[in-house]
């Protein structure tokens, strides 16, 4: 049975969230291809995971028998999140840009699942797993735009998922999402709509691509 791990981190709900909307298209398409598949879902805005603590961090470098009771409890929470990631045949993450980077809730999840000697490093337990990130943003930070140098979502997540975890990373980027709501961006609405439509099409295609690969 194929398993999809779906993580949302937008503070907005439903159609008011671009990342949730596009991720929903991906998930629906993936489930159509895997009618008997399993979806593990975490809404980090509704139910945040604990931020990593000293006990949770240091426990990862201590043999289980040598851990303090506090370390053991803290590490057990990390293990549950790590196992969800390891069980996934595909990972879907909604990662809207807030103040140039990812949400604190998504960063907390990453801090928990990144564990050198297990998920991170040369022998990563999640190496090669496809991860699709819906990196929505209110403006545009694409190459050649005035704010290109302030793009810290894709740069950061590429370092994490590609370099540290060895996963197969793909970005879908719905941009200019503030255009319909900001009068100063009215002339950019057609570009926003085109970006939205491309993102939806790409989400459908990516979900099908991953499903076909899994069944090959």
């Amino acid at each position: 049975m194929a398993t999809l791990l779906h993580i949302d981190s937008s503070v907005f709900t439903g159609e008011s969230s671009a990342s949730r909307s596009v991720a929903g298209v991906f998930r629906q398409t993936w489930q159509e291809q895997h009618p008997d598949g399993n979806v593990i879902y975490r809404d980090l805005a509704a139910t945040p995971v604990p931020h990593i603590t000293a006990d949770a961090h240091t426990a990862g470098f201590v043999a289980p028998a040598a851990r303090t009771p506090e370390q053991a409890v803290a590490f057990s929470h990390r293990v549950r999140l790590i196992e969800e990631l390891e069980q996934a045949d595909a990972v879907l993450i909604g990662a809207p840009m807030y103040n140039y980077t990812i949400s604190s809730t998504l960063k907390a999840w990453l801090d928990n699942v990144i564990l050198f000697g297990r998920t991170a490093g040369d022998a990563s337990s999640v190496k090669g797993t496809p991860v699709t990130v819906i990196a929505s943003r209110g403006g545009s930070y694409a190459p050649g735009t005035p704010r290109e140098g302030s793009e810290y979502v894709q740069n950061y997540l590429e370092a994490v998922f590609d370099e540290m975890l060895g996963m197969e990373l793909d970005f879908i980027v719905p941009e200019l999402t503030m255009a319909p709501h900001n009068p100063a961006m009215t002339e950019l609405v057609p570009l926003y709509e085109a970006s939205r439509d491309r993102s939806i099409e790409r989400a459908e295609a990516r979900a099908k691509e991953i499903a076909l690969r899994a069944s090959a």
Side-chain angles (χ1 to χ4, degrees):
M1 179 187 298
T3 297
L4 173 68
L5 173 60
H6 178 188
I7 306 289
D8 271 329
S9 64
S10 174
V11 298
F12 299 103
T13 59
E15 295 299 316
S16 61
S17 167
S19 64
R20 289 180 188 269
S21 297
V22 176
V25 171
F26 181 105
R27 175 172 168 171
Q28 179 180 340
T29 305
W30 186 91
Q31 289 182 297
E32 289 171 354
Q33 306 300 312
H34 293 288
D36 297 322
N38 178 43
V39 177
I40 301 171
Y41 180 62
R42 282 193 175 271
D43 185 338
L44 300 180
T47 310
V49 302
H51 281 79
I52 198 164
T53 63
D55 285 330
H57 175 70
T58 56
F61 303 95
V62 177
R67 291 172 187 153
T68 66
E70 293 78 13
Q71 286 177 319
V73 170
F75 194 68
S76 68
H77 296 302
R78 290 188 69 187
V79 168
R80 183 167 65 253
L81 298 173
I82 288 170
E83 288 178 343
E84 288 178 352
L85 180 61
E86 291 175 331
Q87 291 165 12
D89 297 290
V91 180
L92 170 65
I93 298 178
M97 176 187 283
Y98 294 124
N99 301 317
Y100 302 127
T101 190
I102 62 173
S103 67
S104 63
T105 54
L106 181 54
K107 179 62 164 61
W109 179 80
L110 288 168
D111 286 341
N112 276 279
V113 300
I114 295 170
L115 180 61
F116 282 94
R118 184 163 176 173
T119 58
D122 294 336
S124 168
S125 58
V126 296
K127 185 175 182 178
T129 302
V131 53
T132 304
V133 175
I134 314 300
S136 58
R137 61 276 314 275
S140 179
Y141 299 79
T145 62
R147 293 190 175 181
E148 175 185 357
S150 298
E151 206 300 308
Y152 301 112
V153 172
Q154 289 177 263
N155 291 345
Y156 170 66
L157 294 180
E158 185 172 356
V160 170
F161 288 117
D162 185 10
E163 298 175 20
M164 295 179 71
L165 303 183
M167 301 178 75
E168 182 199 296
L169 173 63
D170 185 63
F171 286 107
I172 298 174
V173 185
E175 61 179 10
L176 301 168
T177 62
M178 285 300 297
H181 313 289
N182 184 348
M185 299 175 67
T186 299
E187 63 180 16
L188 299 176
V189 168
L191 293 178
Y192 150 72
E193 292 173 341
S195 176
R196 177 199 59 199
D197 294 345
R198 284 195 305 271
S199 297
I200 290 172
E201 290 174 5
R202 178 58 185 150
E204 292 177 340
R206 173 70 172 170
K208 290 178 181 178
E209 171 194 331
I210 290 173
L212 286 173
R213 190 188 314 168
S215 60

